[in-house]
Amino acid sequence: LRVKALDLFARSATFQKLQGRKGGALTEAQLEKEVGKLMNVMNPAVLDEKSTCRKETQLFLALAGMQIASADGKVTAKEKKLVEKLAGAFKEDLNALSALSDDAFLAKETEVTDKLRLHMPLVKRYKLIEDLVAIVLADGKIADEEVNALQYCAGMLAVAPGFVMDALARPQKAMD
């Protein structure tokens, strides 16, 4: 992401001007917008917000994070670390949550997503899905099972399926 941000800057009018040249493929506003998109991929900003749904947000991120990380049958150290970071206050509860039966896990997940759909604006629910993309990308491989789990979580939050694929592709496009 940092390399892509540097590449964007090198293609900007600002960089060209600093080099004593004219041109540049990106205006200052375009540069800021593109760098902002990169920053949002890895920035779990939802956790920093003061929100009436903060507890539900962290519980959702813990549950969904565990579901996505384990979807391909193995949880890497990077995935585990990201889930713990996103889980926030529920970090200590991850073992208890993972010990739930499938039915109890689904019931808890449904309960929390119902509250989030009712009380959290759609744009913030989209941000939750962006935060979860980091878990899918953590091991450098995008497993179909992880994508399916992310799509499932997005559906529970009433986030459009196309958004998931766009969010997953954003970092890949940035490296092209």
mmCIF file of all heavy atoms in Angstrom, residues 22-75:
data_model
loop_
_atom_site.group_PDB
_atom_site.id
_atom_site.type_symbol
_atom_site.label_atom_id
_atom_site.label_comp_id
_atom_site.label_asym_id
_atom_site.label_seq_id
_atom_site.Cartn_x
_atom_site.Cartn_y
_atom_site.Cartn_z
ATOM 1 N N LYS A 22 6.474 19.973 -15.968
ATOM 2 C CA LYS A 22 5.043 20.198 -16.124
ATOM 3 C C LYS A 22 4.349 18.857 -16.312
ATOM 4 O O LYS A 22 4.973 17.880 -16.688
ATOM 5 C CB LYS A 22 4.772 21.090 -17.338
ATOM 6 C CG LYS A 22 5.273 22.500 -17.149
ATOM 7 C CD LYS A 22 4.879 23.364 -18.312
ATOM 8 C CE LYS A 22 5.397 24.778 -18.049
ATOM 9 N NZ LYS A 22 5.007 25.695 -19.097
ATOM 10 N N GLY A 23 3.063 18.867 -16.091
ATOM 11 C CA GLY A 23 2.280 17.661 -16.329
ATOM 12 C C GLY A 23 1.933 16.942 -15.045
ATOM 13 O O GLY A 23 1.845 17.532 -13.975
ATOM 14 N N GLY A 24 1.738 15.659 -15.175
ATOM 15 C CA GLY A 24 1.289 14.832 -14.058
ATOM 16 C C GLY A 24 -0.105 14.309 -14.355
ATOM 17 O O GLY A 24 -0.981 15.064 -14.757
ATOM 18 N N ALA A 25 -0.272 13.023 -14.184
ATOM 19 C CA ALA A 25 -1.549 12.394 -14.517
ATOM 20 C C ALA A 25 -2.634 12.656 -13.480
ATOM 21 O O ALA A 25 -3.810 12.555 -13.780
ATOM 22 C CB ALA A 25 -1.353 10.885 -14.670
ATOM 23 N N LEU A 26 -2.243 13.014 -12.266
ATOM 24 C CA LEU A 26 -3.211 13.199 -11.188
ATOM 25 C C LEU A 26 -3.151 14.618 -10.622
ATOM 26 O O LEU A 26 -2.062 15.116 -10.318
ATOM 27 C CB LEU A 26 -2.942 12.213 -10.049
ATOM 28 C CG LEU A 26 -3.016 10.729 -10.373
ATOM 29 C CD1 LEU A 26 -2.513 9.906 -9.195
ATOM 30 C CD2 LEU A 26 -4.441 10.335 -10.714
ATOM 31 N N THR A 27 -4.318 15.212 -10.439
ATOM 32 C CA THR A 27 -4.375 16.505 -9.748
ATOM 33 C C THR A 27 -4.193 16.254 -8.255
ATOM 34 O O THR A 27 -4.242 15.106 -7.794
ATOM 35 C CB THR A 27 -5.738 17.187 -9.978
ATOM 36 O OG1 THR A 27 -6.752 16.389 -9.334
ATOM 37 C CG2 THR A 27 -6.041 17.378 -11.450
ATOM 38 N N GLU A 28 -4.027 17.300 -7.506
ATOM 39 C CA GLU A 28 -3.889 17.183 -6.049
ATOM 40 C C GLU A 28 -5.132 16.503 -5.451
ATOM 41 O O GLU A 28 -5.023 15.622 -4.599
ATOM 42 C CB GLU A 28 -3.684 18.566 -5.424
ATOM 43 C CG GLU A 28 -3.388 18.543 -3.943
ATOM 44 C CD GLU A 28 -1.981 18.056 -3.626
ATOM 45 O OE1 GLU A 28 -1.088 18.172 -4.468
ATOM 46 O OE2 GLU A 28 -1.788 17.537 -2.511
ATOM 47 N N ALA A 29 -6.310 16.890 -5.914
ATOM 48 C CA ALA A 29 -7.554 16.314 -5.404
ATOM 49 C C ALA A 29 -7.649 14.827 -5.749
ATOM 50 O O ALA A 29 -8.050 14.005 -4.908
ATOM 51 C CB ALA A 29 -8.762 17.057 -5.963
ATOM 52 N N GLN A 30 -7.270 14.452 -6.970
ATOM 53 C CA GLN A 30 -7.293 13.046 -7.368
ATOM 54 C C GLN A 30 -6.297 12.232 -6.553
ATOM 55 O O GLN A 30 -6.594 11.102 -6.138
ATOM 56 C CB GLN A 30 -6.988 12.908 -8.865
ATOM 57 C CG GLN A 30 -8.075 13.440 -9.762
ATOM 58 C CD GLN A 30 -7.610 13.527 -11.219
ATOM 59 O OE1 GLN A 30 -6.465 13.882 -11.499
ATOM 60 N NE2 GLN A 30 -8.515 13.208 -12.136
ATOM 61 N N LEU A 31 -5.132 12.812 -6.319
ATOM 62 C CA LEU A 31 -4.111 12.143 -5.513
ATOM 63 C C LEU A 31 -4.642 11.874 -4.106
ATOM 64 O O LEU A 31 -4.534 10.762 -3.590
ATOM 65 C CB LEU A 31 -2.839 12.991 -5.449
ATOM 66 C CG LEU A 31 -1.738 12.498 -4.515
ATOM 67 C CD1 LEU A 31 -1.196 11.150 -4.977
ATOM 68 C CD2 LEU A 31 -0.621 13.537 -4.438
ATOM 69 N N GLU A 32 -5.220 12.893 -3.488
ATOM 70 C CA GLU A 32 -5.767 12.731 -2.132
ATOM 71 C C GLU A 32 -6.855 11.667 -2.096
ATOM 72 O O GLU A 32 -6.914 10.860 -1.181
ATOM 73 C CB GLU A 32 -6.318 14.065 -1.611
ATOM 74 C CG GLU A 32 -5.250 15.096 -1.308
ATOM 75 C CD GLU A 32 -4.304 14.660 -0.202
ATOM 76 O OE1 GLU A 32 -4.750 14.042 0.788
ATOM 77 O OE2 GLU A 32 -3.099 14.923 -0.322
ATOM 78 N N LYS A 33 -7.709 11.665 -3.097
ATOM 79 C CA LYS A 33 -8.798 10.689 -3.151
ATOM 80 C C LYS A 33 -8.244 9.267 -3.260
ATOM 81 O O LYS A 33 -8.680 8.372 -2.537
ATOM 82 C CB LYS A 33 -9.716 10.995 -4.335
ATOM 83 C CG LYS A 33 -10.892 10.069 -4.445
ATOM 84 C CD LYS A 33 -11.779 10.442 -5.634
ATOM 85 C CE LYS A 33 -12.912 9.457 -5.790
ATOM 86 N NZ LYS A 33 -13.727 9.731 -6.961
ATOM 87 N N GLU A 34 -7.285 9.052 -4.138
ATOM 88 C CA GLU A 34 -6.718 7.712 -4.341
ATOM 89 C C GLU A 34 -5.939 7.238 -3.118
ATOM 90 O O GLU A 34 -6.037 6.074 -2.729
ATOM 91 C CB GLU A 34 -5.838 7.692 -5.596
ATOM 92 C CG GLU A 34 -6.610 7.860 -6.885
ATOM 93 C CD GLU A 34 -7.670 6.791 -7.095
ATOM 94 O OE1 GLU A 34 -7.368 5.596 -6.888
ATOM 95 O OE2 GLU A 34 -8.801 7.154 -7.450
ATOM 96 N N VAL A 35 -5.164 8.121 -2.512
ATOM 97 C CA VAL A 35 -4.421 7.750 -1.307
ATOM 98 C C VAL A 35 -5.401 7.465 -0.169
ATOM 99 O O VAL A 35 -5.212 6.534 0.615
ATOM 100 C CB VAL A 35 -3.390 8.835 -0.919
ATOM 101 C CG1 VAL A 35 -2.782 8.560 0.451
ATOM 102 C CG2 VAL A 35 -2.284 8.908 -1.970
ATOM 103 N N GLY A 36 -6.477 8.244 -0.101
ATOM 104 C CA GLY A 36 -7.510 8.002 0.908
ATOM 105 C C GLY A 36 -8.127 6.615 0.778
ATOM 106 O O GLY A 36 -8.367 5.928 1.777
ATOM 107 N N LYS A 37 -8.371 6.181 -0.446
ATOM 108 C CA LYS A 37 -8.905 4.835 -0.673
ATOM 109 C C LYS A 37 -7.939 3.772 -0.152
ATOM 110 O O LYS A 37 -8.354 2.791 0.467
ATOM 111 C CB LYS A 37 -9.145 4.596 -2.172
ATOM 112 C CG LYS A 37 -10.344 5.288 -2.734
ATOM 113 C CD LYS A 37 -10.458 4.954 -4.218
ATOM 114 C CE LYS A 37 -11.496 5.776 -4.919
ATOM 115 N NZ LYS A 37 -11.522 5.459 -6.376
ATOM 116 N N LEU A 38 -6.653 3.980 -0.402
ATOM 117 C CA LEU A 38 -5.647 3.027 0.086
ATOM 118 C C LEU A 38 -5.634 2.977 1.613
ATOM 119 O O LEU A 38 -5.566 1.899 2.209
ATOM 120 C CB LEU A 38 -4.256 3.403 -0.413
ATOM 121 C CG LEU A 38 -3.957 3.196 -1.884
ATOM 122 C CD1 LEU A 38 -2.579 3.743 -2.222
ATOM 123 C CD2 LEU A 38 -4.040 1.734 -2.240
ATOM 124 N N MET A 39 -5.690 4.124 2.224
ATOM 125 C CA MET A 39 -5.633 4.205 3.683
ATOM 126 C C MET A 39 -6.841 3.515 4.320
ATOM 127 O O MET A 39 -6.707 2.855 5.344
ATOM 128 C CB MET A 39 -5.563 5.660 4.138
ATOM 129 C CG MET A 39 -4.327 6.397 3.660
ATOM 130 S SD MET A 39 -2.804 5.695 4.275
ATOM 131 C CE MET A 39 -2.955 6.091 5.986
ATOM 132 N N ASN A 40 -7.998 3.659 3.703
ATOM 133 C CA ASN A 40 -9.206 3.073 4.268
ATOM 134 C C ASN A 40 -9.202 1.554 4.257
ATOM 135 O O ASN A 40 -9.876 0.925 5.066
ATOM 136 C CB ASN A 40 -10.443 3.587 3.524
ATOM 137 C CG ASN A 40 -10.796 4.990 3.926
ATOM 138 O OD1 ASN A 40 -10.457 5.428 5.025
ATOM 139 N ND2 ASN A 40 -11.466 5.698 3.051
ATOM 140 N N VAL A 41 -8.440 0.954 3.357
ATOM 141 C CA VAL A 41 -8.406 -0.503 3.288
ATOM 142 C C VAL A 41 -7.864 -1.095 4.585
ATOM 143 O O VAL A 41 -8.336 -2.115 5.056
ATOM 144 C CB VAL A 41 -7.563 -0.972 2.078
ATOM 145 C CG1 VAL A 41 -7.325 -2.467 2.123
ATOM 146 C CG2 VAL A 41 -8.246 -0.582 0.783
ATOM 147 N N MET A 42 -6.879 -0.453 5.167
ATOM 148 C CA MET A 42 -6.241 -1.008 6.355
ATOM 149 C C MET A 42 -6.549 -0.234 7.640
ATOM 150 O O MET A 42 -5.947 -0.479 8.669
ATOM 151 C CB MET A 42 -4.727 -1.054 6.149
ATOM 152 C CG MET A 42 -4.296 -1.952 5.014
ATOM 153 S SD MET A 42 -4.813 -3.656 5.199
ATOM 154 C CE MET A 42 -3.703 -4.192 6.465
ATOM 155 N N ASN A 43 -7.501 0.664 7.587
ATOM 156 C CA ASN A 43 -7.785 1.511 8.726
ATOM 157 C C ASN A 43 -9.110 1.125 9.368
ATOM 158 O O ASN A 43 -10.157 1.512 8.878
ATOM 159 C CB ASN A 43 -7.823 2.976 8.273
ATOM 160 C CG ASN A 43 -8.146 3.923 9.395
ATOM 161 O OD1 ASN A 43 -8.023 3.582 10.558
ATOM 162 N ND2 ASN A 43 -8.571 5.115 9.042
ATOM 163 N N PRO A 44 -9.106 0.374 10.464
ATOM 164 C CA PRO A 44 -10.365 0.006 11.097
ATOM 165 C C PRO A 44 -10.957 1.173 11.890
ATOM 166 O O PRO A 44 -11.066 1.148 13.100
ATOM 167 C CB PRO A 44 -9.976 -1.161 12.012
ATOM 168 C CG PRO A 44 -8.552 -0.920 12.325
ATOM 169 C CD PRO A 44 -7.954 -0.225 11.126
ATOM 170 N N ALA A 45 -11.327 2.227 11.179
ATOM 171 C CA ALA A 45 -11.783 3.464 11.809
ATOM 172 C C ALA A 45 -13.065 3.283 12.596
ATOM 173 O O ALA A 45 -13.345 4.047 13.515
ATOM 174 C CB ALA A 45 -11.974 4.544 10.740
ATOM 175 N N VAL A 46 -13.863 2.300 12.249
ATOM 176 C CA VAL A 46 -15.129 2.093 12.939
ATOM 177 C C VAL A 46 -14.895 1.886 14.431
ATOM 178 O O VAL A 46 -15.682 2.311 15.258
ATOM 179 C CB VAL A 46 -15.879 0.891 12.330
ATOM 180 C CG1 VAL A 46 -17.120 0.564 13.124
ATOM 181 C CG2 VAL A 46 -16.246 1.190 10.891
ATOM 182 N N LEU A 47 -13.766 1.270 14.782
ATOM 183 C CA LEU A 47 -13.495 1.002 16.191
ATOM 184 C C LEU A 47 -13.178 2.270 16.972
ATOM 185 O O LEU A 47 -13.338 2.300 18.179
ATOM 186 C CB LEU A 47 -12.319 0.029 16.319
ATOM 187 C CG LEU A 47 -12.550 -1.351 15.728
ATOM 188 C CD1 LEU A 47 -11.302 -2.195 15.909
ATOM 189 C CD2 LEU A 47 -13.735 -2.017 16.362
ATOM 190 N N ASP A 48 -12.717 3.300 16.279
ATOM 191 C CA ASP A 48 -12.338 4.531 16.963
ATOM 192 C C ASP A 48 -13.508 5.479 17.168
ATOM 193 O O ASP A 48 -13.406 6.435 17.903
ATOM 194 C CB ASP A 48 -11.250 5.257 16.159
ATOM 195 C CG ASP A 48 -9.984 4.427 16.084
ATOM 196 O OD1 ASP A 48 -9.715 3.662 17.027
ATOM 197 O OD2 ASP A 48 -9.274 4.547 15.068
ATOM 198 N N GLU A 49 -14.602 5.210 16.497
ATOM 199 C CA GLU A 49 -15.736 6.120 16.572
ATOM 200 C C GLU A 49 -16.503 5.928 17.869
ATOM 201 O O GLU A 49 -16.636 4.828 18.371
ATOM 202 C CB GLU A 49 -16.671 5.870 15.388
ATOM 203 C CG GLU A 49 -16.028 6.169 14.069
ATOM 204 C CD GLU A 49 -16.927 5.803 12.901
ATOM 205 O OE1 GLU A 49 -18.082 5.408 13.119
ATOM 206 O OE2 GLU A 49 -16.448 5.914 11.775
ATOM 207 N N LYS A 50 -17.017 7.033 18.376
ATOM 208 C CA LYS A 50 -17.919 6.959 19.510
ATOM 209 C C LYS A 50 -19.297 6.712 18.922
ATOM 210 O O LYS A 50 -19.829 7.510 18.183
ATOM 211 C CB LYS A 50 -17.864 8.249 20.308
ATOM 212 C CG LYS A 50 -16.541 8.442 21.008
ATOM 213 C CD LYS A 50 -16.553 9.672 21.871
ATOM 214 C CE LYS A 50 -15.349 9.836 22.729
ATOM 215 N NZ LYS A 50 -14.077 9.528 22.243
ATOM 216 N N SER A 51 -19.856 5.591 19.242
ATOM 217 C CA SER A 51 -21.080 5.163 18.595
ATOM 218 C C SER A 51 -21.984 4.481 19.594
ATOM 219 O O SER A 51 -21.517 3.851 20.538
ATOM 220 C CB SER A 51 -20.712 4.208 17.455
ATOM 221 O OG SER A 51 -21.782 3.421 17.096
ATOM 222 N N THR A 52 -23.281 4.582 19.354
ATOM 223 C CA THR A 52 -24.225 3.879 20.216
ATOM 224 C C THR A 52 -24.133 2.373 19.976
ATOM 225 O O THR A 52 -24.582 1.599 20.784
ATOM 226 C CB THR A 52 -25.664 4.356 19.948
ATOM 227 O OG1 THR A 52 -25.948 4.171 18.554
ATOM 228 C CG2 THR A 52 -25.859 5.800 20.328
ATOM 229 N N CYS A 53 -23.545 1.970 18.873
ATOM 230 C CA CYS A 53 -23.413 0.549 18.522
ATOM 231 C C CYS A 53 -21.996 0.038 18.715
ATOM 232 O O CYS A 53 -21.636 -0.986 18.136
ATOM 233 C CB CYS A 53 -23.825 0.339 17.060
ATOM 234 S SG CYS A 53 -25.515 0.750 16.691
ATOM 235 N N ARG A 54 -21.198 0.707 19.505
ATOM 236 C CA ARG A 54 -19.788 0.318 19.633
ATOM 237 C C ARG A 54 -19.641 -1.135 20.097
ATOM 238 O O ARG A 54 -18.865 -1.891 19.529
ATOM 239 C CB ARG A 54 -19.068 1.261 20.590
ATOM 240 C CG ARG A 54 -17.587 0.966 20.701
ATOM 241 C CD ARG A 54 -16.882 2.005 21.569
ATOM 242 N NE ARG A 54 -15.537 1.616 21.835
ATOM 243 C CZ ARG A 54 -14.496 1.873 21.047
ATOM 244 N NH1 ARG A 54 -14.688 2.534 19.939
ATOM 245 N NH2 ARG A 54 -13.285 1.494 21.368
ATOM 246 N N LYS A 55 -20.396 -1.529 21.111
ATOM 247 C CA LYS A 55 -20.312 -2.895 21.633
ATOM 248 C C LYS A 55 -20.716 -3.892 20.541
ATOM 249 O O LYS A 55 -20.027 -4.890 20.328
ATOM 250 C CB LYS A 55 -21.212 -3.041 22.862
ATOM 251 C CG LYS A 55 -21.229 -4.421 23.441
ATOM 252 C CD LYS A 55 -22.171 -4.491 24.634
ATOM 253 C CE LYS A 55 -22.340 -5.924 25.088
ATOM 254 N NZ LYS A 55 -23.414 -6.087 26.054
ATOM 255 N N GLU A 56 -21.812 -3.616 19.872
ATOM 256 C CA GLU A 56 -22.287 -4.505 18.808
ATOM 257 C C GLU A 56 -21.294 -4.544 17.641
ATOM 258 O O GLU A 56 -21.078 -5.590 17.035
ATOM 259 C CB GLU A 56 -23.666 -4.076 18.302
ATOM 260 C CG GLU A 56 -24.792 -4.330 19.279
ATOM 261 C CD GLU A 56 -24.950 -3.236 20.329
ATOM 262 O OE1 GLU A 56 -24.210 -2.215 20.283
ATOM 263 O OE2 GLU A 56 -25.802 -3.407 21.218
ATOM 264 N N THR A 57 -20.689 -3.395 17.348
ATOM 265 C CA THR A 57 -19.699 -3.328 16.271
ATOM 266 C C THR A 57 -18.516 -4.235 16.577
ATOM 267 O O THR A 57 -18.085 -5.021 15.738
ATOM 268 C CB THR A 57 -19.216 -1.875 16.065
ATOM 269 O OG1 THR A 57 -20.332 -1.071 15.693
ATOM 270 C CG2 THR A 57 -18.144 -1.783 15.006
ATOM 271 N N GLN A 58 -17.992 -4.134 17.773
ATOM 272 C CA GLN A 58 -16.846 -4.956 18.147
ATOM 273 C C GLN A 58 -17.206 -6.438 18.209
ATOM 274 O O GLN A 58 -16.421 -7.281 17.784
ATOM 275 C CB GLN A 58 -16.252 -4.485 19.469
ATOM 276 C CG GLN A 58 -15.530 -3.152 19.317
ATOM 277 C CD GLN A 58 -14.930 -2.674 20.608
ATOM 278 O OE1 GLN A 58 -15.535 -2.794 21.673
ATOM 279 N NE2 GLN A 58 -13.736 -2.119 20.528
ATOM 280 N N LEU A 59 -18.405 -6.737 18.697
ATOM 281 C CA LEU A 59 -18.834 -8.136 18.734
ATOM 282 C C LEU A 59 -18.997 -8.673 17.311
ATOM 283 O O LEU A 59 -18.553 -9.785 17.009
ATOM 284 C CB LEU A 59 -20.140 -8.285 19.514
ATOM 285 C CG LEU A 59 -20.703 -9.701 19.606
ATOM 286 C CD1 LEU A 59 -19.672 -10.677 20.192
ATOM 287 C CD2 LEU A 59 -21.984 -9.711 20.435
ATOM 288 N N PHE A 60 -19.580 -7.879 16.426
ATOM 289 C CA PHE A 60 -19.718 -8.303 15.037
ATOM 290 C C PHE A 60 -18.341 -8.551 14.417
ATOM 291 O O PHE A 60 -18.127 -9.568 13.747
ATOM 292 C CB PHE A 60 -20.477 -7.273 14.197
ATOM 293 C CG PHE A 60 -20.415 -7.569 12.733
ATOM 294 C CD1 PHE A 60 -21.196 -8.564 12.181
ATOM 295 C CD2 PHE A 60 -19.536 -6.885 11.906
ATOM 296 C CE1 PHE A 60 -21.114 -8.879 10.828
ATOM 297 C CE2 PHE A 60 -19.439 -7.183 10.560
ATOM 298 C CZ PHE A 60 -20.232 -8.182 10.015
ATOM 299 N N LEU A 61 -17.405 -7.619 14.621
ATOM 300 C CA LEU A 61 -16.071 -7.782 14.050
ATOM 301 C C LEU A 61 -15.373 -9.022 14.614
ATOM 302 O O LEU A 61 -14.642 -9.710 13.898
ATOM 303 C CB LEU A 61 -15.227 -6.525 14.268
ATOM 304 C CG LEU A 61 -15.654 -5.323 13.424
ATOM 305 C CD1 LEU A 61 -14.937 -4.057 13.888
ATOM 306 C CD2 LEU A 61 -15.402 -5.577 11.946
ATOM 307 N N ALA A 62 -15.601 -9.321 15.884
ATOM 308 C CA ALA A 62 -15.025 -10.531 16.484
ATOM 309 C C ALA A 62 -15.622 -11.775 15.828
ATOM 310 O O ALA A 62 -14.894 -12.674 15.387
ATOM 311 C CB ALA A 62 -15.271 -10.547 17.989
ATOM 312 N N LEU A 63 -16.946 -11.829 15.744
ATOM 313 C CA LEU A 63 -17.619 -13.000 15.173
ATOM 314 C C LEU A 63 -17.297 -13.166 13.690
ATOM 315 O O LEU A 63 -16.913 -14.251 13.244
ATOM 316 C CB LEU A 63 -19.134 -12.880 15.372
ATOM 317 C CG LEU A 63 -19.637 -12.953 16.814
ATOM 318 C CD1 LEU A 63 -21.087 -12.497 16.895
ATOM 319 C CD2 LEU A 63 -19.470 -14.360 17.372
ATOM 320 N N ALA A 64 -17.463 -12.097 12.933
ATOM 321 C CA ALA A 64 -17.214 -12.163 11.492
ATOM 322 C C ALA A 64 -15.738 -12.427 11.211
ATOM 323 O O ALA A 64 -15.403 -13.201 10.309
ATOM 324 C CB ALA A 64 -17.670 -10.864 10.819
ATOM 325 N N GLY A 65 -14.869 -11.802 11.987
ATOM 326 C CA GLY A 65 -13.433 -12.017 11.815
ATOM 327 C C GLY A 65 -13.054 -13.466 12.030
ATOM 328 O O GLY A 65 -12.289 -14.050 11.254
ATOM 329 N N MET A 66 -13.601 -14.075 13.083
ATOM 330 C CA MET A 66 -13.332 -15.491 13.352
ATOM 331 C C MET A 66 -13.869 -16.355 12.221
ATOM 332 O O MET A 66 -13.219 -17.305 11.788
ATOM 333 C CB MET A 66 -13.982 -15.898 14.678
ATOM 334 C CG MET A 66 -13.327 -15.301 15.890
ATOM 335 S SD MET A 66 -14.269 -15.508 17.432
ATOM 336 C CE MET A 66 -14.970 -17.103 17.292
ATOM 337 N N GLN A 67 -15.067 -16.035 11.759
ATOM 338 C CA GLN A 67 -15.701 -16.806 10.697
ATOM 339 C C GLN A 67 -14.882 -16.754 9.406
ATOM 340 O O GLN A 67 -14.651 -17.778 8.759
ATOM 341 C CB GLN A 67 -17.109 -16.242 10.467
ATOM 342 C CG GLN A 67 -17.969 -17.026 9.553
ATOM 343 C CD GLN A 67 -19.387 -16.459 9.518
ATOM 344 O OE1 GLN A 67 -19.676 -15.410 10.074
ATOM 345 N NE2 GLN A 67 -20.274 -17.174 8.863
ATOM 346 N N ILE A 68 -14.414 -15.568 9.056
ATOM 347 C CA ILE A 68 -13.638 -15.389 7.827
ATOM 348 C C ILE A 68 -12.262 -16.036 7.959
ATOM 349 O O ILE A 68 -11.813 -16.753 7.064
ATOM 350 C CB ILE A 68 -13.519 -13.896 7.478
ATOM 351 C CG1 ILE A 68 -14.899 -13.343 7.092
ATOM 352 C CG2 ILE A 68 -12.502 -13.663 6.363
ATOM 353 C CD1 ILE A 68 -14.995 -11.833 7.098
ATOM 354 N N ALA A 69 -11.599 -15.801 9.083
ATOM 355 C CA ALA A 69 -10.246 -16.347 9.279
ATOM 356 C C ALA A 69 -10.231 -17.865 9.239
ATOM 357 O O ALA A 69 -9.290 -18.471 8.729
ATOM 358 C CB ALA A 69 -9.662 -15.844 10.592
ATOM 359 N N SER A 70 -11.258 -18.492 9.745
ATOM 360 C CA SER A 70 -11.280 -19.953 9.807
ATOM 361 C C SER A 70 -11.978 -20.605 8.615
ATOM 362 O O SER A 70 -12.020 -21.831 8.517
ATOM 363 C CB SER A 70 -11.953 -20.411 11.106
ATOM 364 O OG SER A 70 -13.310 -19.991 11.120
ATOM 365 N N ALA A 71 -12.483 -19.806 7.702
ATOM 366 C CA ALA A 71 -13.279 -20.333 6.581
ATOM 367 C C ALA A 71 -12.508 -21.317 5.706
ATOM 368 O O ALA A 71 -13.085 -22.275 5.191
ATOM 369 C CB ALA A 71 -13.820 -19.192 5.732
ATOM 370 N N ASP A 72 -11.208 -21.092 5.539
ATOM 371 C CA ASP A 72 -10.428 -21.987 4.672
ATOM 372 C C ASP A 72 -9.789 -23.146 5.445
ATOM 373 O O ASP A 72 -8.975 -23.886 4.906
ATOM 374 C CB ASP A 72 -9.363 -21.211 3.894
ATOM 375 C CG ASP A 72 -8.309 -20.565 4.781
ATOM 376 O OD1 ASP A 72 -8.453 -20.592 6.023
ATOM 377 O OD2 ASP A 72 -7.343 -20.011 4.229
ATOM 378 N N GLY A 73 -10.167 -23.294 6.706
ATOM 379 C CA GLY A 73 -9.687 -24.424 7.496
ATOM 380 C C GLY A 73 -8.428 -24.176 8.291
ATOM 381 O O GLY A 73 -8.017 -25.024 9.071
ATOM 382 N N LYS A 74 -7.797 -23.017 8.089
ATOM 383 C CA LYS A 74 -6.582 -22.718 8.869
ATOM 384 C C LYS A 74 -6.559 -21.222 9.185
ATOM 385 O O LYS A 74 -6.913 -20.398 8.365
ATOM 386 C CB LYS A 74 -5.335 -23.129 8.102
ATOM 387 C CG LYS A 74 -5.216 -22.535 6.712
ATOM 388 C CD LYS A 74 -4.081 -23.182 5.929
ATOM 389 C CE LYS A 74 -4.002 -22.695 4.510
ATOM 390 N NZ LYS A 74 -5.133 -22.941 3.676
ATOM 391 N N VAL A 75 -6.143 -20.918 10.407
ATOM 392 C CA VAL A 75 -6.036 -19.530 10.844
ATOM 393 C C VAL A 75 -4.558 -19.205 11.001
ATOM 394 O O VAL A 75 -3.873 -19.794 11.839
ATOM 395 C CB VAL A 75 -6.785 -19.289 12.175
ATOM 396 C CG1 VAL A 75 -6.635 -17.844 12.627
ATOM 397 C CG2 VAL A 75 -8.261 -19.662 12.036
#
